[in-house]
C-alpha cells in the first residue's frame, strides 16, 4: 500500500513495481501521475482513517509506505501500528512535525541550538519582545506545523517582528509559530535511514535557496563538497539528533547549517525522504544505494539492504524560477543533453515573487 500519488511519490511506485510488488496506491482523485502508474489506484482521502483501515483489512498488504509527504506520515504510521509492523512512535511523529517540540527535545539532549521561543496568537507583542530580549538578531519566524517554506520569514530588527509574526501565524493551521535566532552558514541536508534505532547517513546534500527573507529552495547537489573528516563529524551529530527524537524506523531528512565556528545546527528533521527528488533521485544516483528499496523493506518489517545498485555520480537538481534559469536549461538541453536525468513539467515563469516551493516553474536533474 502506498499513500500519496504526486510526482515526488511516483518514483516509489515505480521502484516497488520494478522489485516485483503489486502496488495499491491511495489518494484523493486530482489527476496526479500516481493514479495512472499504480497497479491499482484507490481514490480515497488518506486522512479518512476509518475508510483507509477498512481498505487495508480487505487488501492485507505486506507493507505500507509513503516517502515525501509530511501529511501522509500520520496515516502511514496509523496503519503500520494496526498491522503490527514496527514504526516510529506517536511521540516521534508529533515531535518531527512540530518545529517547537523538535527544538525542545534537541536542546534537552545537549545539541547546539539557537535561542528560540513558542509564539501563539494569545501573546501580545510586548510579551514576545520581553521574552526574546536575549535573542541576537537576525531572527527567523516560522509556523511550527508547516513545510515547503510556507510562512517562513527572516527579520533583521524588532520593527519587522509584528509583520513576520502575522505572516507566520496566518499560515499556521494551529496558529503557533516559533521565533528563533538565525543560524549562519551554508545549508545542507543529510539523507539517512533508520532501522531498529540504528542509523546510516547515505548522502549529504548541498542546498541553494532564494535566501532572505523566505528561503525557497532553488537547487540541491550531491555529494556535498565537504572538508576531510566533515562527513564523519556530520554523521556523529546527526545520529545524536535522531536519538534525541527517538527516531527508530524509515527515511530521515535532517536540514542543518554548518556555522562559521564549525557547529552543526539544525533547522528541522523530518521522518520521511527529502522532497524535491532528493530522496528518490539524488540519493540513489550519488550514493549508489537503493534508498527506496530500503524504505520498501522497512515498511514491511524487514531490515534494509545496503548493497549498492549503481555507480555513484554527481547529481544535481536545478529549479527554474527565472527567465535566466530557463535559458540555462535550454542551453543544457542543447549542448549537454546526455547529462539530463529527468525533466519536470515546466510552467510559464510567473512575474509574481517566489514565496514558497510551489511557486517554482519546474526543475531538471543532471548527472555527471
Ligand atoms: N534558524 C534558522 N536559521 C537560518 N535559516 C533558517 C532557520 N530556520 C529556517 N531557515 C531557512 O528557512 C528554510 C525553511 O525553514 P525550515 O525550518 O526548513 O521549514 P520548512 O518546513 O518550511 O522547510 C530553511 O531551509 C532555511 O533556509
Ligand atoms: Mg525545511
Amino acid at each position: 500500500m502506498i499513500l500519496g500519488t504526486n510526482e515526488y511519490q511516483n518514483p516509489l511506485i515505480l521502484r516497488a513495481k520494478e522489485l516485483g510488488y503489486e502496488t495499491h496506491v491511495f489518494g484523493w482523485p486530482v489527476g496526479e501521475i500516481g493514479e495512472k502508474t499504480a497497479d491499482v489506484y484507490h481514490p480515497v482521502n488518506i486522512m479518512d482513517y476509518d475508510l483507509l483501515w477498512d481498505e487495508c483489512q480487505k487488501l492485507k498488504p505486506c507493507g505500507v509506505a509513503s516517502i515525501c509527504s509530511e501529511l501522509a506520515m500520520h496515516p502511514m504510521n496509523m496503519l503500520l501500528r494496526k498491522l503490527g509492523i514496527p514504526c516510529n512512535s506517536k511521540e516521534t511523529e508529533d515531535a518531527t512535525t512540530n518545529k517547537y517540540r523538535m527544538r525542545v527535545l534537541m536542546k534537552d539532549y545537549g545539541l547546539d541550538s539557537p535561542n528560540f521561543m513558542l509564539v501563539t496568537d494569545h501573546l501580545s507583542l510586548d510579551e514576545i519582545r520581553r521574552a526574546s530580549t536575549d535573542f541576537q538578531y537576525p531572527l527567523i519566524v516560522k509556523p511550527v506545523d508547516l513545510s515547503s517554506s510556507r510562512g517562513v520569514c527572516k527579520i533583521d530588527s524588532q520593527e519587522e517582528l509584528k509583520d513576520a509574526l502575522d505572516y507566520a501565524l496566518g499560515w499556521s493551521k494551529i496558529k503557533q509559530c516559533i521565533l528563533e535566532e538565525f543560524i549562519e552558514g551554508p545549508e545542507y541536508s543529510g539523507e539517512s535511514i533508520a532501522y531498529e534505532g540504528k542509523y546510516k547517513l547515505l548522502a549529504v546534500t548541498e542546498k541553494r535557496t532564494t535566501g532572505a527573507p523566505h528561503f525557497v529552495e532553488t537547487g540541491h547537489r550531491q555529494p556535498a563538497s565537504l572538508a576531510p573528516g566533515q562527513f564523519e563529524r556530520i554523521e556523529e551529530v546527526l545520529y545524536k539528533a535522531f536519538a534525541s527524537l527517538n527516531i527508530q524506523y524509515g527515511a530521515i531528512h535532517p536540514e542543518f547549517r554548518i556555522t562559521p565556528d564549525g557547529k552543526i545546527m539544525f533547522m528541522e528533521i523530518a521522518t520521511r525522504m527529502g522532497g524535491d527528488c532528493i530522496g528518490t533521485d539524488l540519493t540513489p544516483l550519488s550514493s549508489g544505494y537503493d534508498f527506496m528499496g530500503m524504505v520498501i523493506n522497512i515498511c514491511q518489517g524487514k531490515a534494509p539492504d545496503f548493497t549498492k545498485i549503481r555507480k555513484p555520480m554527481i547529481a544535481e537538481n536545478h529549479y527554474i524560477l527565472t527567465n535566466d534559469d530557463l535559458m540555462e536549461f535550454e542551453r543544457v538541453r542543447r549542448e549537454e543533453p546526455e547529462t539530463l536525468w529527468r525533466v519536470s513539467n515546466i510552467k510559464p515563469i510567473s512575474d509574481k515573487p517566489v514565496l514558497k516551493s510551489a511557486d517554482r516553474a519546474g526543475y531538471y536533474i543532471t548527472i555527471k
Side-chain angles (χ1 to χ4, degrees):
M1 251 175 107
I2 293 178
L3 308 186
T5 52
N6 74 18
E7 60 171 314
Y8 294 123
Q9 196 80 242
N10 191 44
L12 178 71
I13 303 172
L14 302 183
R15 183 70 187 134
K17 286 169 77 168
E18 251 169 39
L19 291 170
Y21 293 91
E22 182 179 298
T23 55
H24 288 257
V25 179
F26 290 72
W28 198 238
V30 281
E32 293 281 12
I33 174 101
E35 299 172 22
K36 291 178 216 77
T37 54
D39 290 306
V40 183
Y41 165 58
H42 301 255
V44 165
N45 174 3
I46 61 170
M47 300 317 284
D48 184 339
Y49 284 19
D50 292 337
L51 182 57
L52 204 57
W53 175 233
D54 281 350
E55 296 282 321
C56 182
Q57 280 171 301
K58 278 185 235 153
L59 267 177
K60 300 193 177 36
C62 61
V64 185
S66 182
I67 43 172
C68 294
S69 150
E70 205 108 301
L71 191 73
M73 284 304 111
H74 302 289
M76 178 188 84
N77 285 336
M78 180 276 293
L79 292 178
L80 289 171
R81 280 182 206 118
K82 281 182 179 273
L83 289 168
I85 297 172
C87 65
N88 288 322
S89 67
K90 190 79 182 60
E91 291 72 30
T92 297
E93 200 180 306
D94 292 345
T96 53
T97 47
N98 183 308
K99 292 188 167 71
Y100 174 70
R101 184 89 195 105
M102 201 175 331
R103 280 254 177 265
V104 171
L105 290 170
M106 289 199 281
K107 184 166 181 242
D108 288 352
Y109 209 77
L111 288 146
D112 287 319
S113 301
N115 278 317
F116 64 94
M117 69 173 283
L118 179 69
V119 176
T120 64
D121 52 3
H122 303 303
L123 287 178
S124 73
L125 197 57
D126 268 353
E127 286 170 313
I128 298 164
R129 286 208 173 108
R130 272 200 300 279
S132 61
T133 42
D134 291 345
F135 291 21
Q136 295 278 318
Y137 276 81
L139 303 183
I140 281 271
V141 184
K142 51 189 182 182
V144 297
D145 55 336
L146 287 183
S147 58
S148 310
S149 305
R150 288 169 297 172
V152 177
C153 198
K154 180 187 180 197
I155 53 172
D156 293 311
S157 68
Q158 278 220 352
E159 287 72 65
E160 297 168 69
L161 189 57
K162 186 176 180 318
D163 284 351
L165 290 172
D166 288 347
Y167 181 65
L169 288 170
W171 270 103
S172 172
K173 293 199 183 87
I174 57 170
K175 300 296 163 220
Q176 291 185 6
C177 62
I178 179 167
L179 177 64
E180 64 187 27
E181 286 171 334
F182 186 80
I183 304 160
E184 301 288 346
E187 187 168 348
Y188 303 91
S189 58
E191 319 325 317
S192 308
I193 191 93
Y195 181 68
E196 295 180 336
K198 292 197 186 62
Y199 310 119
K200 183 157 174 72
L201 172 62
L202 306 175
V204 177
T205 314
E206 211 169 287
K207 285 172 189 283
R208 280 183 287 121
T209 73
T210 54
H214 299 302
F215 301 94
V216 179
E217 290 164 318
T218 59
H220 307 282
R221 181 185 185 275
Q222 286 182 11
S225 21
L226 299 170
Q230 218 168 15
F231 188 92
E232 291 72 18
R233 167 95 186 104
I234 292 171
E235 271 185 312
E236 193 186 311
V237 179
L238 256 47
Y239 296 173
K240 187 170 169 186
F242 301 160
S244 77
L245 304 172
N246 188 26
I247 297 171
Q248 297 281 325
Y249 293 97
I252 318 175
H253 177 64
E255 297 182 336
F256 56 94
R257 290 183 191 262
I258 303 184
T259 65
D261 56 353
K263 286 192 182 122
I264 293 167
M265 285 170 83
F266 293 90
M267 253 77 68
E268 60 166 343
I269 299 181
T271 45
R272 55 169 170 80
M273 283 188 181
D276 287 357
C277 310
I278 294 173
T280 51
D281 296 78
L282 302 193
T283 303
L285 288 167
S286 86
S287 70
Y289 290 120
D290 185 6
F291 198 11
M292 287 181 286
M294 292 182 190
V295 167
I296 291 168
N297 270 8
I298 294 171
C299 88
Q300 39 180 329
K302 295 183 188 160
D305 181 350
F306 292 100
T307 312
K308 295 206 178 193
I309 57 163
R310 62 167 69 243
K311 194 169 128 285
M313 300 175 151
I314 299 169
E316 190 162 357
N317 190 358
H318 314 254
Y319 272 87
I320 299 172
L321 285 77
T322 64
N323 282 313
D324 282 352
D325 298 338
L326 195 57
M327 273 163 59
E328 172 59 12
F329 166 60
E330 295 298 348
R331 188 199 63 77
V332 172
R333 189 149 67 173
R334 227 175 23 249
E335 295 174 13
E336 307 163 14
E338 71 289 352
T339 65
L340 284 176
W341 168 258
R342 190 140 79 83
V343 179
S344 75
N345 287 331
I346 299 177
K347 298 184 281 192
I349 306 274
S350 153
D351 46 13
K352 296 205 187 79
V354 173
L355 300 177
K356 56 187 190 302
S357 302
D359 298 338
R360 302 172 298 191
Y363 63 85
Y364 58 101
I365 297 174
T366 54
I367 44 175
K368 277 179 188 153

